[in-house]
């Protein structure tokens, strides 16, 4: 700031002095205001901010001392230079002790006066700048503090001994501690005892940059709630990233470790979502009973134990009689309610340690480990089950009667391994059904296997490729917002010469076990790409081709090369092909799978996680993978037909996927209600019977030609879908 921008006030009761001082300053480029006498000076000071006041002391009525007092009392920040006729030392001392910057005697030497004025203005200007800088600093610190304290994460600094020197206020709402009470305390007081080992590494992190700890999951303890009803210590799962802080950071020789800086993110919601998804992976959504996967898990454990302890165990395979009639005549809602009520009654028959599972449809399985008296114990339970189902079920005012046919196999008598035991219980069940239903039947060796269970897949599937018995169907995938077809999923069909059409559910796992899926998979890839090329060559709208790929196929060394060369042969750009894999495929051999997916992704090929939510789900692995799309399993679509869908798992998955910038497809969309909900929560794409069952390539061609008026009500296979352009 230059001198002529600063405001100067000259105060004197003598107009001659005023004028001469004003002129003196004007010659040097400084414009000053004047006040004749103390009273006018006070008026001026109250109206304008002055940097400097040249003040006479002896003035009538309001003298210089009064003006100084006014300046002090009103915290006016002007510097004051006394220019006075008073010559005594005391006068000078008094003036300075009242806060004057300097004291000059009249008559003054011009040079001395000018030097004093310039010094005062310079000092004043510096002081102003200083204050400005301080204000800015304080403001910036306030902003940082605000950012740190309102951050959703816990942010802290530890000293080299692991004690908190800083922690933001977020700790209060997350753990219940006040940040003040933690300063000086050791971090270990917050860590759950089972996580203390991991915590030691992260909290003592000395590394910086890429090598520092990132996203390590540990649990922190919440402060005990003082209300007597809550004694348990709650814990909070967090994801912790930390790094060392150093003095003389850039000079490795002089570098001294000052402590560790860290950010802890609350991941409770993610953990809860994972737990829910993992629960769903092993449970049936409708009845909350263990599902087939969990039953197999428990059964394999129970067989191992029975073998070791030379005990027996039993499997009861239970199928409701005439359930299909009820479902068909009264509808799915009543059918679902009936299954729920049946499962409640069945639960009342089982002991702790038994596993009652829903195998799908109207089939339940009961595992009874350790049956001491063998057949006698099991008979009692089977009779009890038949008994509890005897009373009618009342649903929507209807009285419904159901009975169950139960087939039973016993380890080790009827089989030494899981699959044999299940198969034999199943066969026994068909025998009781044949005999007129309602009752139970133990397996015996002379029972014949029902015809359709005997289907010889083995020899058949080997010839199927050569005999051209496979074909592909294509199911449309729709952009929910625009209603356009964005892709199709290729689904394999086997036309068995004797048994007719066989669905993938019946033969894929068999083809995987025998390794034949590798050749079949290549066939699928080639044919699907061939079809896509025909659509592209015909100038139809560009769509994506999704292809299912088993773990076994991805395990092939040459898989990346094979896919690339097929794409090249058909002149198809990478982004038009999507590979669908399941979570279990990823988990099977994480490292090599990730490597191969990256290779595919580098070639532009898209990767989707199929049946998401039904396998082992750890959402934290998602951001490590080069995937573009999550396909929400159709099992979750069912819950959208029930009440209270606000907190649906689908909602959680869609929100998470958005956070990770992934495309989400909902599978198995069958009703408008489901679609409305998906639209509401901003799910990107949908696939399901509402838009079309898997269709032949020719029908897809017709739809693509008709675009954008696809999906009219006229086609019975393809349900009407209102476009929402
Ligand atoms: P996926 O990949 O989850 O395929 C979707 C399945 O859901 C298809 O059964 C489809 O017909 C069915 N679906 C589609 N929309 C609806 C709906 O609205 N409601 C209901 N209830 N179901 C619907 P599909 O064709 O029987 O295939 C079953 C599974 O077999 C597929 O599940 C996939 O995992 C596997 N698969 C099919 N083709 C191939 C293939 O070429 N290679 C491999 N490795 N696996 C395949
Ligand atoms: Mg699929
Ligand atoms: Mg699927």
């Amino acid at each position: 700031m230059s001198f002529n921008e600063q405001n100067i006030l000259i105060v004197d009761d003598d107009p001659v002095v005023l004028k001469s001082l004003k002129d003196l300053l004007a010659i040097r480029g400084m414009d000053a205001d004047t006040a004749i006498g103390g009273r006018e000076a006070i008026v001026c000071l109250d109206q304008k901010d002055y940097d400097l006041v040249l003040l006479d002391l002896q003035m009538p009525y309001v003298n210089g001392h009064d003006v100084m007092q006014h300046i002090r009392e009103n915290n006016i920040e002007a510097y004051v230079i006394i220019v006075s006729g008073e010559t005594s030392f005391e006068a000078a001392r008094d003036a300075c002790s009242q806060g004057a910057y300097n004291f000059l005697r009249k008559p003054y030497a011009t040079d001395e006066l000018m030097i004093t004025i310039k010094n005062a203005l310079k000092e004043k200007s510096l002081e102003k700048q200083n204050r400005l800088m301080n204000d800015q600093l304080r403001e910036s610190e306030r902003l940082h503090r605000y950012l740190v304290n309102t951050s959703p994460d816990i942010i802290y600094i530890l000293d080299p001994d692991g004690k908190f020197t800083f922690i933001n206020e977020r700790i209060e709402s997350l753990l219940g501690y006040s940040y003040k009470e933690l300063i000086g305390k050791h971090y270990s007081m917050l860590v759950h005892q089972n996580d203390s080992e991991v915590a030691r590494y992260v909290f003592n992190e000395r590394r910086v940059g890429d090598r520092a700890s990132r996203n390590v999951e540990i649990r922190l303890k919440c402060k005990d709630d003082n209300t007597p009803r809550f004694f348990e210590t709650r814990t909070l799962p967090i994801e912790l990233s930390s790094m060392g802080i150093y003095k003389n950071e850039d000079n490795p020789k002089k570098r001294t470790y000052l402590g560790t800086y860290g950010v802890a993110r609350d991941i409770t919601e993610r953990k809860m979502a994972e737990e829910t998804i993992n629960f769903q992976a092993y449970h049936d959504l409708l009845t909350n009973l263990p599902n087939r996967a969990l039953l197999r898990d428990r059964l394999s454990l129970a067989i191992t134990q029975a073998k070791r302890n030379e005990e027996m165990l039993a499997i009861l395979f239970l199928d409701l009689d005439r359930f299909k009639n009820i479902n068909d005549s009264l509808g799915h809602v009543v059918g679902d309610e009936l299954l729920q009520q049946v499962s409640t009654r069945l639960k009342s028959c089982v002991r702790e340690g038994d596993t009652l599972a829903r195998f799908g449809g109207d089939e339940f399985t009961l595992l009874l480990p350790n049956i001491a008296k063998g057949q006698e114990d099991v008979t009692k339970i089977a009779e009890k089950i038949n008994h509890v189902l005897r009373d009618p079920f009342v649903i929507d005012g209807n009285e419904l009667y159901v009975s169950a046919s139960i087939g039973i196999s016993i380890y080790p008598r009827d089989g030494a391994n899981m699959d044999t035991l299940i198969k034999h219980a199943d066969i026994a069940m068909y025998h009781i059904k044949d005999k007129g239903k309602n009752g139970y039947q133990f397996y015996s060796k002379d029972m014949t296997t029902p015809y359709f269970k005997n289907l010889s897949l083995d020899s058949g599937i080997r010839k199927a490729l050569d005999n051209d018995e496979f074909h592909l169907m294509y199911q449309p995938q729709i952009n929910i917002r625009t209603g356009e077809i964005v892709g199709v999923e290729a689904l394999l069909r086997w036309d068995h010469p004797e048994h007719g059409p066989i669905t993938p559910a019946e033969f894929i796992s068999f083809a995987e076990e025998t390794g034949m899926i590798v050749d079949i998979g290549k066939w699928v890839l080639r044919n699907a790409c061939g079809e896509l090329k025909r659509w592209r060559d015909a100038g139809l709208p560009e769509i994506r081709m999704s292809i299912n790929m088993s773990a076994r196929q991805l395990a092939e060394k040459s898989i990346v090369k094979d896919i690339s060369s097929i794409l090249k042969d058909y002149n198809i750009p990478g982004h038009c092909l999507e590979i669908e894999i399941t979570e279990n495929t990823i988990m099977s051999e994480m490292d090599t799978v990730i490597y191969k997916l990256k290779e595919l992704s580098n070639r532009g090929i898209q990767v989707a996680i199929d049946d998401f939510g039904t396998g082992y789900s750890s959402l934290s692995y998602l951001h490590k993978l080069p995937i573009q799309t999550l396909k929400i399993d159709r099992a979750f679509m069912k819950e959208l037909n029930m009440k209270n869908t606000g907190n649906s798992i689908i909602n959680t998955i869609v929100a998470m996927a958005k956070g990770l910038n992934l495309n989400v497809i909902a599978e198995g969309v069958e009703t408008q209600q489901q679609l409305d909900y998906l639209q509401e929560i901003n799910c990107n794409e949908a696939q399901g019977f509402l838009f079309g069952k898997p269709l032949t390539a020719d029908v897809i061609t017709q739809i693509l030609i008709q675009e954008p008026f696809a999906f009219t009500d006229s086609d019975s296979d393809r349900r009407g879908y209102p476009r929402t352009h």
Side-chain angles (χ1 to χ4, degrees):
M1 191 185 284
S2 71
F3 295 139
N4 47 14
E5 281 171 36
Q6 289 175 290
N7 296 327
I8 304 171
L9 179 66
I10 309 167
V11 187
D12 207 302
D13 59 333
D14 182 346
V16 179
V17 176
L18 277 186
K19 183 166 179 348
S20 73
L21 275 173
K22 187 174 167 67
D23 291 347
L24 198 66
L25 293 178
I27 293 168
R28 287 161 177 84
M30 288 181 264
D31 186 27
D33 296 342
T34 53
I36 189 139
R39 193 168 292 156
E40 197 177 313
I42 287 174
V43 173
C44 289
L45 285 165
D46 286 345
Q47 282 173 354
K48 185 166 164 183
D49 286 336
Y50 285 98
D51 296 290
L52 179 65
V53 183
L54 301 178
L55 181 65
D56 184 20
L57 277 186
Q58 285 169 330
M59 293 181 290
Y61 311 116
V62 177
N63 65 25
H65 294 287
D66 300 329
V67 175
M68 298 262 306
Q69 190 180 351
H70 180 82
I71 287 178
R72 258 198 333 277
E73 285 174 359
N74 291 282
N75 296 323
I76 294 171
E77 289 176 349
Y79 276 22
V80 178
I81 297 175
I82 305 287
V83 187
S84 171
E86 279 241 26
T87 51
S88 71
F89 170 74
E90 285 75 18
R93 188 195 58 202
D94 284 355
C96 289
S97 71
Q98 279 187 300
Y101 173 80
N102 213 333
F103 188 100
L104 294 177
R105 286 185 191 85
K106 281 183 196 162
Y108 46 79
T110 309
D111 287 350
E112 191 189 1
L113 175 70
M114 286 321 298
I115 288 171
T116 312
I117 288 176
K118 283 194 171 160
N119 283 345
L121 288 176
K122 200 165 164 188
E123 235 172 85
K124 177 73 194 170
S125 159
L126 281 176
E127 187 192 287
K128 257 192 180 169
Q129 278 174 25
N130 237 333
R131 183 164 318 132
L132 194 70
M133 254 154 58
N134 271 333
D135 285 351
Q136 281 171 347
L137 215 69
R138 210 172 305 125
E139 188 52 32
S140 138
E141 198 197 290
R142 205 177 62 85
L143 184 69
H144 278 100
R145 203 165 273 282
Y146 173 79
L147 290 178
V148 166
N149 280 328
T150 52
S151 154
D153 302 331
I154 298 172
I155 299 173
Y156 64 86
I157 297 175
L158 297 176
D159 68 11
D161 298 328
K163 292 181 178 153
F164 288 106
T165 55
F166 171 82
I167 190 151
N168 67 346
E169 289 170 16
R170 179 57 64 206
I171 196 84
E172 300 201 21
S173 56
L174 289 183
L175 295 186
Y177 290 94
S178 103
Y179 67 95
K180 287 184 194 130
E181 72 185 294
L182 289 176
I183 300 297
K185 300 278 166 38
H186 197 261
Y187 73 81
S188 55
M189 69 178 279
L190 296 183
V191 178
H192 188 273
Q193 72 237 27
N194 295 354
D195 290 345
S196 54
E197 201 53 37
V198 194
R200 197 156 62 224
Y201 280 105
V202 209
F203 277 103
N204 290 319
E205 183 58 85
R206 288 182 174 226
R207 295 170 300 184
V208 292
D210 287 348
R211 291 169 56 239
S213 299
R214 255 196 237 152
N215 304 339
V216 180
E217 287 182 20
I218 57 173
R219 282 161 296 173
L220 296 184
K221 288 188 287 193
C222 293
K223 190 174 182 180
D224 278 347
D225 202 323
N226 279 335
T227 33
R229 276 175 301 138
F230 304 104
F231 291 112
E232 69 199 16
T233 319
R234 291 183 305 124
T235 60
L236 181 81
I238 54 148
E239 199 167 60
L240 190 61
S241 304
S242 61
M243 62 184 191
I245 326 172
Y246 290 88
K247 198 164 129 188
N248 298 324
E249 181 103 33
D250 301 332
N251 184 345
K253 280 192 190 135
K254 284 196 181 161
R255 229 164 69 132
T256 38
Y257 173 62
L258 293 180
T260 296
Y261 159 86
V263 178
R265 169 154 298 183
D266 172 16
I267 52 167
T268 312
E269 254 182 50
R270 196 181 84 194
K271 282 280 159 199
M272 271 161 49
E274 275 180 24
E275 252 171 50
T276 322
I277 292 173
N278 284 333
F279 178 84
Q280 319 250 22
Y282 288 105
H283 292 83
D284 163 50
L285 283 175
L286 184 67
T287 59
N288 271 347
L289 289 177
N291 62 11
R292 190 185 286 255
L294 185 53
L295 180 91
R296 289 182 73 89
D297 236 40
R298 300 237 175 112
L299 181 54
S300 114
L301 207 73
I303 292 176
T304 315
Q305 252 172 17
K307 199 178 275 173
R308 190 183 313 134
N309 304 335
E310 297 188 351
E311 290 164 351
M312 287 185 281
L313 63 80
I315 294 181
L316 282 69
F317 202 93
L318 191 151
D319 188 286
L320 299 184
D321 304 325
R322 287 175 294 277
F323 177 76
K324 195 172 174 305
N325 292 350
I326 293 174
N327 220 15
D328 290 348
S329 56
L330 298 174
H332 287 282
V333 178
V334 173
D336 285 354
E337 174 76 35
L338 179 62
L339 287 171
Q340 283 169 335
Q341 290 198 18
V342 166
S343 74
T344 310
R345 289 201 198 169
L346 291 179
K347 271 190 262 181
S348 72
C349 302
V350 303
R351 308 160 302 179
E352 206 180 327
D354 298 345
T355 299
L356 173 67
R358 178 163 174 234
F359 238 47
D362 57 351
E363 292 173 348
F364 294 84
T365 308
L366 179 57
L367 159 68
L368 308 175
N370 186 15
I371 38 165
K373 295 189 195 140
Q375 205 148 315
E376 194 184 320
D377 277 356
V378 187
T379 306
K380 267 194 219 140
I381 292 193
E383 279 171 356
K384 197 170 166 193
I385 289 177
N386 284 139
H387 181 79
V388 295
L389 297 179
R390 203 162 294 160
D391 289 339
F393 294 86
V394 183
I395 297 167
D396 265 359
N398 300 304
E399 275 199 353
L400 305 175
Y401 289 87
V402 283
S403 56
S405 303
I406 307 170
I408 306 165
S409 64
I410 291 182
Y411 169 91
R413 190 187 73 189
D414 302 329
N417 62 44
M418 181 153 63
D419 289 326
T420 318
L421 285 168
I422 293 177
K423 193 169 98 192
H424 287 167
D426 194 14
I427 291 173
M429 192 272 292
Y430 275 100
H431 276 260
I432 181 81
K433 275 244 191 253
D434 273 355
K435 277 203 246 159
K437 306 182 173 146
N438 189 21
Y440 59 91
Q441 172 79 57
F442 285 90
Y443 173 74
S444 79
K445 283 203 183 70
D446 49 19
M447 281 178 183
T448 47
T449 312
Y451 153 75
F452 61 91
K453 295 270 156 193
N454 214 358
L455 185 83
S456 164
L457 293 171
D458 190 7
S459 58
I461 206 165
R462 287 179 205 284
K463 288 186 239 142
L465 268 181
D466 295 338
N467 294 349
D468 217 10
E469 288 166 13
F470 288 120
H471 74 267
L472 288 175
M473 298 290 269
Y474 301 91
Q475 190 176 31
Q477 298 175 326
I478 307 298
N479 176 321
I480 293 185
R481 202 173 43 78
T482 64
E484 283 160 341
I485 296 192
V486 282
V488 290
E489 176 176 4
L491 293 160
L492 188 58
R493 298 288 178 262
W494 178 13
D495 309 305
H496 196 281
E498 292 157 41
H499 304 301
I502 303 181
T503 66
E506 291 172 271
F507 68 86
I508 290 281
S509 60
F510 180 77
E512 282 169 350
E513 276 163 32
T514 53
M516 277 178 286
I517 193 71
V518 174
D519 287 336
I520 298 176
K522 276 185 204 156
W523 181 92
V524 170
L525 203 60
R526 220 163 244 296
N527 280 271
C529 287
E531 206 56 68
L532 185 61
K533 180 176 162 54
R534 273 187 283 284
W535 291 327
R536 291 172 64 80
D537 290 349
L540 296 173
E542 180 169 281
I543 56 167
R544 179 185 67 207
M545 175 65 77
S546 294
I547 285 174
N548 293 285
M549 185 153 294
S550 325
R552 183 65 200 263
Q553 284 172 268
L554 208 57
E556 284 293 289
K557 270 214 179 72
S558 60
I559 185 74
V560 177
K561 209 176 81 218
D562 292 347
I563 295 178
S564 308
S565 76
I566 290 177
L567 286 184
K568 202 163 151 230
D569 290 350
Y570 292 102
N571 196 17
I572 290 173
H575 71 267
C576 288
L577 181 71
E578 184 168 70
I579 303 291
E580 294 190 7
I581 53 171
T582 64
E583 290 161 296
N584 298 343
T585 302
I586 300 165
M587 294 305 156
S588 64
E589 257 190 86
M590 186 83 132
D591 290 344
T592 45
V593 168
I594 290 185
Y595 175 76
K596 283 178 184 164
L597 293 185
K598 281 194 177 145
E599 288 284 295
L600 290 173
S601 180
N602 288 342
R603 289 163 171 76
I605 296 160
Q606 312 224 18
V607 180
I609 307 278
D610 204 356
D611 306 341
F612 184 77
T614 59
Y616 170 80
S617 290
S618 162
L619 297 168
S620 58
Y621 75 78
L622 286 180
H623 61 259
K624 296 186 192 145
L625 296 171
I627 52 174
Q628 285 75 35
T629 303
L630 286 190
K631 295 191 74 178
I632 306 178
D633 191 72
R634 63 175 179 273
F636 297 112
M637 232 37 67
K638 285 223 177 77
E639 65 172 353
L640 296 192
N641 289 335
M642 303 175 196
K643 288 159 231 139
N644 299 329
T645 48
N647 290 323
S648 73
I649 188 88
I650 299 187
N651 199 354
T652 315
I653 297 177
V654 172
M656 297 252 167
K658 295 270 142 141
L660 291 164
N661 228 348
L662 297 175
N663 181 31
V664 200
I665 306 188
E667 290 188 277
V669 179
E670 292 179 356
T671 66
Q672 184 64 39
Q673 187 189 351
Q674 292 167 338
L675 178 64
D676 290 345
Y677 181 76
L678 293 166
Q679 194 155 26
E680 202 177 298
I681 61 169
N682 273 331
C683 180
N684 311 93
E685 295 175 18
Q687 177 182 347
F689 296 166
L690 180 64
F691 314 102
K693 290 195 167 157
L695 307 165
T696 61
D698 288 345
V699 177
I700 296 283
T701 310
Q702 287 310 313
I703 294 174
L704 288 177
I705 290 172
Q706 284 165 21
E707 275 254 289
F709 302 107
F711 302 117
T712 53
D713 284 319
S714 59
D715 193 321
S716 60
D717 233 3
R718 292 175 275 129
R719 303 273 296 279
Y721 171 50
R723 300 170 63 82
T724 51
H725 274 299

